[in-house]
Amino acid sequence: MLDVRRMQVLRAVISSGSITAAARNLGYTPSAISQQLSTLEKEAGVELLERVGRGVRPTPAGSLLSEHAETLSTQLAKAEAALTELKEGRTGRLAIRYFATAGASLVPLAVAALRREFPGVRLDLKLVEPDDSLPEIESGKADVAMIVLPSTTPRIKGAEYIHLLDDPYRAILPKNHRLARKRVLDLAELAEDPWVGVDGLPGACRDILLDACGAAGFAPNHVVESEDYQTAQGFVAAGLGVALIPELGLGAPHPGVAIRKVRRPDPVRSIHAAVAAHAREHPAVRRFLSAIREGALAA
């Protein structure tokens, strides 16, 4: 098999016209250059240079290999430049998973920041349920996943969990509710009300709601279920019950509801980014996470 480095030495000899000149240009001794050429001729199985006075000139085989050496040098330089851009985070692919309320309010601005600052990075964006993101990190399908992280969530070995923001829950009441005039409610005050469920499936978000109600001394009586926060607001506005909805999920509040803070306890979703081990130091990942925090502060 031909050695690329020796082919480049051959090219240097042909370009300079002599072994001595090539040695001087490359910083080697003439004997080292001659040894490289001798080995290359053995690999090629054909003579590559012939003596002409005090210099050398290529044989047809030598000219052929010299041309290919130039092509290989150009390709190698391109490969090294591409590798440098990849290592510095300016190219490559970044797979990001997010859940609906984060996608609606925070992810678009963060993606726009990435597009401006890392235009060469290809983004693979996918909306998933908050509890479905971690398996994609574990399987290698995703680099970053935005998750709701209660203390009971199993951790993936090697992944880094970075806190992004806390998303407090708000009480959603019909406009004519008996407590609608209060600015802050004790959660226990809603114990006897019918409830509109907003997280029908088991998971971190529903656990936060149930745990908060349990801490206030009651279990909510869900009379209707909705897996969509906007629809849940519509049910509340129609007088079917009350609800707890995280602030990021409020979107454009329904005109028929009153939104109030709650306390004793004040439930909060802790939103984190799970970052795969290989992506921890990726500049685009760091910029995405900082842009999420910036968006949360501006909201």
Side-chain angles (χ1 to χ4, degrees), residues 12-45:
V13 170
I14 294 173
S15 299
S16 61
S18 73
I19 291 175
T20 301
R24 184 169 56 250
N25 294 337
L26 296 175
Y28 296 140
T29 63
S31 61
I33 296 293
S34 296
Q35 185 177 359
Q36 292 288 322
L37 293 174
S38 176
T39 302
L40 182 62
E41 286 187 334
K42 290 178 181 178
E43 292 173 347

Side-chain angles (χ1 to χ4, degrees), residues 72-125:
L72 289 172
S73 295
T74 300
Q75 293 301 318
L76 180 60
K78 289 181 179 179
E80 289 175 342
L83 180 60
T84 297
E85 288 196 337
L86 181 65
K87 288 163 65 176
E88 293 179 355
R90 296 196 297 268
T91 60
R93 171 182 169 273
L94 187 61
I96 298 172
R97 303 295 178 256
Y98 60 92
F99 55 94
T101 50
S105 56
L106 300 176
V107 172
L109 292 177
V111 169
L114 282 185
R115 291 291 191 199
R116 289 192 303 269
E117 299 176 36
F118 297 89
V121 174
R122 292 179 291 108
L123 295 179
D124 172 11
L125 302 171

Side-chain angles (χ1 to χ4, degrees), residues 130-131 134 147-156 161 202-212 268-270 272:
D131 298 315
L134 289 179
I147 60 172
V148 176
L149 187 68
S151 58
T152 55
T153 298
R155 305 296 178 100
I156 295 175
Y161 293 82
C205 295
R206 188 173 182 85
D207 289 346
I208 292 169
L209 187 151
L210 294 178
D211 289 347
V268 171
R269 293 195 305 183
S270 182
H272 284 63

Side-chain angles (χ1 to χ4, degrees), residues 1-295:
M1 182 179 293
L2 298 176
D3 186 277
V4 174
R5 290 172 298 178
R6 296 190 184 104
M7 290 173 61
Q8 291 172 335
V9 169
L10 171 66
R11 178 169 170 263
V13 170
I14 294 173
S15 299
S16 61
S18 73
I19 291 175
T20 301
R24 184 169 56 250
N25 294 337
L26 296 175
Y28 296 140
T29 63
S31 61
I33 296 293
S34 296
Q35 185 177 359
Q36 292 288 322
L37 293 174
S38 176
T39 302
L40 182 62
E41 286 187 334
K42 290 178 181 178
E43 292 173 347
V46 63
E47 188 176 2
L48 302 175
L49 296 170
E50 57 185 9
R51 292 280 180 179
V52 179
R54 294 185 178 181
V56 293
R57 66 184 178 191
T59 65
S63 295
L64 176 67
L65 289 188
S66 178
E67 291 172 4
H68 281 285
E70 183 175 4
T71 301
L72 289 172
S73 295
T74 300
Q75 293 301 318
L76 180 60
K78 289 181 179 179
E80 289 175 342
L83 180 60
T84 297
E85 288 196 337
L86 181 65
K87 288 163 65 176
E88 293 179 355
R90 296 196 297 268
T91 60
R93 171 182 169 273
L94 187 61
I96 298 172
R97 303 295 178 256
Y98 60 92
F99 55 94
T101 50
S105 56
L106 300 176
V107 172
L109 292 177
V111 169
L114 282 185
R115 291 291 191 199
R116 289 192 303 269
E117 299 176 36
F118 297 89
V121 174
R122 292 179 291 108
L123 295 179
D124 172 11
L125 302 171
K126 184 178 179 183
L127 172 66
V128 296
E129 291 298 320
D131 298 315
D132 294 339
S133 297
L134 289 179
E136 296 218 6
I137 293 287
E138 193 168 26
S139 66
K141 293 180 180 178
D143 303 302
V144 180
M146 295 185 67
I147 60 172
V148 176
L149 187 68
S151 58
T152 55
T153 298
R155 305 296 178 100
I156 295 175
K157 186 177 180 180
E160 182 178 5
Y161 293 82
I162 301 172
H163 178 261
L164 297 176
L165 68 145
D166 288 327
D167 186 20
Y169 279 73
R170 301 298 185 218
I172 313 301
L173 314 174
K175 279 282 191 180
N176 61 355
H177 192 275
R178 70 186 189 283
L179 300 173
R181 292 185 178 183
K182 297 188 67 172
R183 294 179 61 186
V184 182
L185 310 180
D186 287 348
L187 188 54
E189 293 182 274
L190 301 175
E192 301 303 320
D193 283 84
W195 279 67
V196 175
V198 294
D199 291 296
L201 298 176
C205 295
R206 188 173 182 85
D207 289 346
I208 292 169
L209 187 151
L210 294 178
D211 289 347
C213 292
F218 71 97
N221 174 29
H222 289 116
V223 296
V224 63
E225 293 283 352
S226 171
E227 296 179 12
D228 173 79
Y229 292 137
Q230 292 302 118
T231 303
Q233 289 189 52
F235 286 151
V236 171
L240 296 176
V242 300
L244 281 184
I245 294 179
E247 202 167 61
L248 284 180
L250 293 176
H254 193 289
V257 304
I259 300 170
R260 298 291 181 263
K261 293 181 180 181
V262 292
R263 64 185 179 186
R264 299 175 186 168
D266 50 347
V268 171
R269 293 195 305 183
S270 182
I271 297 177
H272 284 63
V275 182
H278 66 268
R280 288 180 182 177
E281 301 304 320
H282 197 298
V285 170
R286 294 198 298 269
R287 182 65 187 103
F288 175 77
L289 299 182
S290 67
I292 290 290
R293 291 194 185 98
E294 291 165 10

